[in-house]
Amino acid sequence: MNNLITAKFGGTSLADASQIKKAAEIIKSNPARKFVVASAPGKRFSDDIKITDLLYKCHSQAKNGEDFSGTLAKISERYAGIIKELGVDFDIKNEIEIIRKNLEAGTTPDYPASRGEYINSKIIAKFLGWTFVDAAEIIFFDENGFLDENKTFTTAGEKLKSLENAVIPGFYGSMPDGKIKTFSRGGSDVTGSIIARSVSADLYENWTDVSGMLSADPRIVKDPKVIEYITYTELRELSYMGASVLHEDAVFPVRKAGIPINIRNTNKPDDNGTLIAASLPDNIEKRAVTGIAGRKGFSSIRVDKSMMNGETGFGAKLLYIFARNGIPFEHCPTGIDTISVVVNSELFDQKREIILREIKSELDPDFITIEKNLAAIAVVGEGMISAKGMAARVFDALAKAGVNIRMIDQGSDELNIIVGIDEGNYEKALNALYSGMIA
Ligand code: ASP
């Protein structure tokens, strides 16, 4: 039983009055949903413009001395439509006037950007008959712009727990001087997580427009299965490799407190979505593979030197050359007399000549071989530790599809197997791995 739920609704879930009504129905259907975090109205259709984007546009127009009144009028009209259809009493003209004055006075972009969630949350609070709590009063950043966790968790916790229920705008908080600061784009997910943590919620629900996280990229694999349960660690691995469902920083606050996250679909509220937790529930059969994700754009720099294995510090010196040049390495498979460093091609290309020169002069290798246009695919699953023959299945699936493997890396935690392949084989390989490991 979840006694206390923090529910965050994303931009498409609150894009117009009919979406807000759906969200309100979901909120009211479970009394445990006492704290709601709202995004700004997002896209209603694919080439619609998000309110947040319009607000940023107002700011850049104002900064360039251009007329922003047309853009601001669009924002005002959109809210006016929502207010009318919801039948709430709300003075949008006054709110827009305050934004206009601040833009004219030369505000930072964060302030107007934050007004999308601010106004939407005030309207939603009125519609629900709930209290509105401004995020600027409960979410705090330090002088360096990092979240002041202690102050935030304590203040938000105390304030919210004294209330029956509340709507809190996502995406922003305040600096020590009181100025508004936003998180990076998509940051309402982070606010939801912070609020869940502050009130010690039993569950953080993240309501969006998909029925959970998919086990492979749907642009490449047809109808991939929804992941029902995933651990935080698996999520981290899949997100790192390109799967996206939540803002990256949204996991940490709830993860530390062991609060599970449930990704749900506002348009299909009966779907269970994806549950993200520290470990899988006991009654769930452990699957070996949870998901597959990949990225293109890697290069591998392979260094060969006979008797390398007898040379102490060879690998450290090689990695230090990359580090010194500001290039993080992604993987580092080694052989007896070979070592490869896999890096982001774009970053590497900027420092290519200097790195090669330094490798030659400092390590005196027999050969250096560079392979460009590599893609990496990670097959991720906590059950992989105990399942036998997983690597064989990965190689078999790729061999049957005629995909040559250029690199293999199994994380030390045995949570994933990563293969490097030619970018040209990426789509084929992803489909082969999905059919062989998940479908
Ligand atoms: N409205 C903000 C954005 O578009 C934040 C969010 O929706 O999470 O990025």
Side-chain angles (χ1 to χ4, degrees):
M1 240 322 259
N2 292 305
N3 298 318
L4 184 56
I5 298 173
T6 293
K8 179 258 170 182
F9 288 83
T12 50
S13 300
L14 305 172
D16 58 22
S18 70
Q19 288 298 91
I20 293 177
K21 284 182 188 165
K22 277 188 203 168
E25 210 163 291
I26 291 168
I27 294 164
K28 296 259 162 122
S29 70
N30 185 347
R33 296 188 180 111
K34 286 171 53 144
F35 301 109
V36 165
V37 173
S39 274
K43 291 186 180 198
R44 294 159 292 182
F45 38 87
S46 66
D47 47 10
D48 197 13
I49 307 175
K50 289 177 167 196
I51 288 285
T52 310
D53 289 323
L54 290 172
L55 287 159
Y56 277 122
K57 188 171 172 194
C58 283
H59 179 264
S60 68
Q61 286 175 322
K63 202 171 140 220
N64 297 333
E66 292 160 21
D67 180 14
F68 60 83
S69 55
T71 316
L72 201 55
K74 271 193 201 155
I75 297 168
S76 182
E77 277 158 29
R78 207 152 145 206
Y79 279 121
I82 292 175
I83 292 161
K84 190 165 166 235
E85 222 180 301
L86 293 180
V88 291
D89 174 25
F90 190 85
D91 187 356
I92 186 64
K93 288 222 168 74
N94 179 46
E95 296 289 353
I96 295 289
E97 200 43 33
I98 300 171
I99 300 175
R100 191 180 61 75
K101 282 202 181 115
N102 276 284
L103 285 167
E104 279 168 358
T107 163
T108 60
D110 290 32
Y111 164 75
S114 72
R115 298 302 88 180
E117 350 292 287
Y118 174 83
I119 297 176
N120 217 23
S121 300
K122 276 188 147 178
I123 295 171
I124 294 165
K126 278 225 159 147
F127 185 60
L128 292 171
W130 285 19
T131 309
F132 165 82
V133 176
D134 190 353
E137 285 162 22
I138 53 170
I139 294 187
F140 305 103
F141 296 96
D142 63 21
E143 286 82 19
N144 301 316
F146 293 112
L147 180 73
D148 185 337
E149 292 194 359
N150 286 341
K151 189 172 169 198
T152 298
F153 295 151
T154 316
T155 316
E158 277 170 11
K159 170 84 191 167
L160 295 174
K161 281 181 199 159
S162 72
L163 299 168
E164 180 77 8
N165 40 41
V167 181
I168 305 110
F171 194 33
Y172 71 94
S174 58
M175 291 293 286
D177 64 1
K179 283 214 177 82
I180 296 288
K181 177 177 161 50
T182 62
F183 294 105
S184 57
R185 295 301 303 265
S188 298
D189 282 346
V190 186
T191 310
S193 181
I194 292 171
I195 298 301
R197 167 79 182 268
S198 303
V199 300
S200 306
D202 298 296
L203 181 68
Y204 170 26
E205 285 179 344
N206 189 292
W207 291 84
T208 176
D209 54 2
V210 288
S211 291
M213 185 165 180
L214 298 172
S215 50
D217 186 341
R219 290 166 301 184
I220 298 170
V221 174
K222 194 165 175 283
D223 295 333
K225 286 185 189 161
V226 169
I227 300 174
E228 257 182 281
Y229 296 96
I230 184 168
T231 66
Y232 294 125
T233 326
E234 291 172 328
L235 176 74
R236 168 102 182 98
E237 297 276 343
L238 287 172
S239 309
Y240 179 71
M241 287 304 284
S244 79
V245 67
L246 268 182
H247 190 294
E248 219 195 331
D249 298 338
V251 172
F252 298 103
V254 283
R255 180 179 182 164
K256 266 196 200 156
I259 301 167
I261 308 171
N262 191 188
I263 312 281
R264 300 283 295 267
N265 190 346
T266 304
N267 302 319
K268 289 188 183 170
D270 293 334
D271 289 356
N272 291 332
T274 300
L275 192 75
I276 308 163
S279 56
L280 301 178
D282 291 340
N283 54 346
I284 290 300
E285 198 195 322
K286 281 227 161 83
R287 349 122 277 210
V289 177
T290 301
I292 295 173
R295 280 198 279 152
K296 292 182 178 180
F298 294 110
S299 293
S300 154
I301 296 86
R302 174 179 153 154
V303 180
D304 283 52
K305 187 170 186 185
S306 49
M307 308 307 284
M308 182 192 291
N309 69 333
E311 205 174 307
T312 310
F314 192 93
K317 281 185 212 152
L318 177 64
L319 290 178
Y320 186 54
I321 293 175
F322 283 86
R324 204 162 58 204
N325 284 290
I327 314 284
F329 77 98
E330 309 274 340
H331 307 283
C332 186
T334 56
I336 301 172
D337 288 334
T338 68
I339 176 165
S340 300
V341 184
V342 179
V343 291
N344 174 306
S345 301
E346 230 178 271
L347 295 178
F348 174 65
D349 286 346
Q350 293 164 18
K351 293 284 175 77
R352 186 189 162 100
E353 297 318 318
I354 175 162
I355 287 179
L356 296 182
R357 201 175 336 116
E358 289 179 5
I359 295 176
K360 276 184 202 148
S361 69
E362 291 171 38
L363 296 171
D364 191 26
D366 299 336
F367 315 101
I368 305 176
T369 323
I370 298 174
E371 288 193 60
K372 292 188 66 165
N373 306 326
L374 289 177
I377 299 181
V379 179
V380 176
E382 294 216 334
M384 218 132 64
I385 297 182
S386 43
K388 291 191 183 67
M390 295 310 293
R393 275 174 62 192
V394 167
F395 304 145
D396 189 49
L398 292 173
K400 280 193 184 126
V403 175
N404 186 21
I405 303 175
R406 317 293 294 259
M407 179 204 80
I408 301 161
D409 192 0
Q410 177 167 32
S412 336
D413 46 11
E414 281 190 58
L415 192 70
N416 59 22
I417 297 175
I418 295 174
V419 289
I421 52 163
D422 283 335
E423 274 181 358
N425 282 331
Y426 181 66
E427 283 75 15
K428 192 158 70 168
L430 209 65
N431 274 296
L433 288 171
Y434 180 78
S435 317
M437 312 298 292
I438 294 184

